[in-house]
Amino acid sequence: MATELEELLDFLSSPSPPIKKAAVSIVRDYTGSEDGLRSLGKYSSTAVPSLSNLLAEKKEVSEPAAEALVNLSQNRDLAGKMVEMGMIKTIMDILYKQDCDITHLLVMLLVNLTQLDVGIESLLQNGDEKMRGLYIMKLVRSFCASSNERKGDPFEHVASILVNISQKEAGRKLLLDPKRGLLKQIIRQFDSPSALRKRGVSGTIRNCCFEAEDQLQNLLLISEFLWPALLLPVAGNKIYSEQDTSKMPLELGSALSIERETVSDPAIRIQALDAIYLLVLQEAGRRAFWSVNGPQILQVGYEDEENPQVMEAYERVGSLLIQEGGASEASTQES
């Protein structure tokens, strides 16, 4: 005999719109508690496909279905089952249908699913040579398009997806591929007023810099955008003279020569300093850093810094520059 929950899940596929609407709302409410999540988890093989089938319906049904799936996907085991069931393809197909009313929720679902390796692999489409990277290119394009203020910023959480995928080598290589130009597009979103976008862009840059040993040239190809994104958050409050900024990229020099709003989020400042550290570990990265007056900018920024964790990140970069500068000087004297 079917349990009460099994009967409820059966109603999700009812031909009667009012019954279906009532059933999906109840299921959504179930997922709002730990007990409800545990109970539904036992029927995931039925619940997930049934809810997934409702995502393409009218908003009154698709919205609670998407909310239920977002809640369920916070459980790693259930998220893994969703990926196995092809949820990422379903999401991407619906996300790019005309007049999608649940964009924000579908993006949130992708955030949760890409916290798993299998979810990242599915979104990168690593199993299909011809399609590889297509989903990411679509998401980056949507992320970088100006948001419609009336509808908010439905693609804002793509920032978190980019951080997730860039934690894996395959994701970093895709973002750093100069033919696709994805990282260049992403970096330009650092000017966004959205704190979530800023932190996501900063975290993605940092993760991509873990490829600096093999991909430094590709990183430096976009240096006119890269250095401002990394140095402005850690530059302090000083207004630089024309002499100071003369060798800097135009965007960086222009920003430093006027009064500016400081980046208040310490996580962003730490991410920027981590990325700089990874770049200056490479000889060509150090040369590029010196060429934009990077050491002086960090020195000034350090003097204005009050957060102990951020100060520690400054000191890590500074000790590397001093160490390498001393080694270089010793080498010159020997020759």
Side-chain angles (χ1 to χ4, degrees):
M1 185 175 175
T3 66
E4 184 179 326
L5 197 48
E6 284 175 317
E7 289 179 351
L8 175 62
L9 293 173
D10 283 341
F11 285 134
L12 292 176
S13 53
S14 169
S16 166
I19 291 176
K20 189 188 296 182
K21 180 184 174 184
V24 74
S25 295
I26 295 170
V27 171
R28 185 264 318 275
D29 293 343
Y30 251 98
T31 65
S33 70
E34 288 295 327
D35 289 341
L37 282 172
R38 273 195 297 272
S39 299
L40 271 172
K42 297 173 184 176
Y43 301 99
S44 59
S45 58
T46 303
V48 170
S50 297
L51 290 167
S52 175
N53 289 337
L54 301 179
L55 293 176
E57 300 218 3
K58 291 181 180 178
K59 188 177 181 180
E60 61 184 15
V61 170
S62 64
E63 187 171 60
E67 288 169 345
L69 287 167
V70 169
N71 291 340
L72 286 167
S73 66
Q74 293 176 53
N75 178 294
R76 292 181 69 85
D77 291 336
L78 292 179
K81 289 177 182 177
M82 289 183 192
V83 175
E84 289 174 13
M85 293 175 186
M87 181 64 77
I88 284 180
K89 183 181 186 306
T90 300
I91 293 169
M92 292 301 295
D93 287 347
I94 296 169
L95 194 57
Y96 286 97
K97 279 185 177 175
Q98 196 170 7
D99 300 325
C100 176
D101 290 320
I102 54 170
T103 298
H104 175 73
L105 289 166
L106 293 179
V107 173
M108 285 294 296
L109 186 50
L110 285 176
V111 172
N112 289 348
L113 297 183
T114 53
Q115 289 177 20
L116 303 178
D117 289 353
V118 289
I120 293 172
E121 189 166 332
S122 178
L123 189 64
L124 292 175
Q125 299 165 286
N126 283 340
D128 189 334
E129 190 66 36
K130 291 182 179 178
M131 301 293 286
R132 183 178 296 166
L134 181 62
Y135 287 164
I136 301 300
M137 290 175 71
K138 283 185 172 184
L139 288 170
V140 169
R141 185 168 64 241
S142 300
F143 178 65
C144 295
S146 56
S147 61
N148 184 327
E149 290 184 7
R150 287 189 301 106
K151 294 186 177 181
D153 190 358
F155 285 97
E156 179 182 39
H157 284 274
V158 169
S160 301
I161 296 171
L162 295 172
V163 172
N164 289 346
I165 67 161
S166 61
Q167 289 173 358
K168 297 297 174 185
E169 183 182 1
R172 294 193 293 269
K173 287 187 173 178
L174 176 67
L175 296 177
L176 284 165
D177 183 349
K179 292 179 182 176
R180 298 178 189 262
L182 296 176
L183 187 60
K184 180 179 176 180
Q185 296 175 55
I186 293 164
I187 287 177
R188 296 169 85 166
Q189 287 300 302
F190 191 75
D191 291 337
S192 168
S194 162
L196 177 61
R197 281 177 174 262
K198 275 184 180 293
R199 186 180 282 209
V201 170
S202 180
T204 301
I205 296 170
R206 171 192 174 272
N207 289 346
C208 284
C209 285
F210 277 98
E211 295 295 315
E213 185 175 358
D214 297 320
Q215 300 246 18
L216 184 64
Q217 197 57 43
N218 288 337
L219 283 160
L220 294 181
L221 277 174
I222 54 172
S223 59
E224 64 182 301
F225 306 104
L226 182 65
W227 290 128
L230 295 180
L231 286 167
L232 288 177
V234 295
N237 300 316
K238 177 184 175 181
I239 298 175
Y240 283 72
S241 68
E242 187 176 337
Q243 183 180 353
D244 288 330
T245 61
S246 60
K247 292 183 179 180
M248 297 179 190
L250 181 60
E251 190 172 337
L252 176 61
S254 299
L256 289 175
S257 63
I258 58 174
E259 280 192 34
R260 57 196 176 276
E261 190 176 333
T262 57
V263 174
S264 59
D265 187 345
I268 291 177
R269 300 201 299 279
I270 290 172
Q271 287 168 343
L273 290 163
D274 284 348
I276 291 169
Y277 179 84
L278 292 166
L279 290 169
V280 299
L281 274 173
Q282 312 303 317
E283 186 180 347
R286 285 193 297 279
R287 287 200 302 268
F289 189 62
W290 280 97
S291 75
V292 298
N293 225 358
Q296 183 191 355
I297 294 171
L298 290 195
Q299 184 177 347
V300 172
Y302 179 73
E303 290 169 2
D304 290 340
E305 185 58 58
E306 296 178 355
N307 184 289
Q309 286 79 29
V310 182
M311 291 176 75
E312 190 177 318
Y314 272 107
E315 289 161 7
R316 195 160 72 110
V317 179
S319 64
L320 178 62
L321 291 171
I322 292 169
Q323 174 188 333
E324 292 300 330
S328 174
E329 187 177 332
S331 174
T332 304
Q333 288 175 354
E334 285 173 13
S335 60

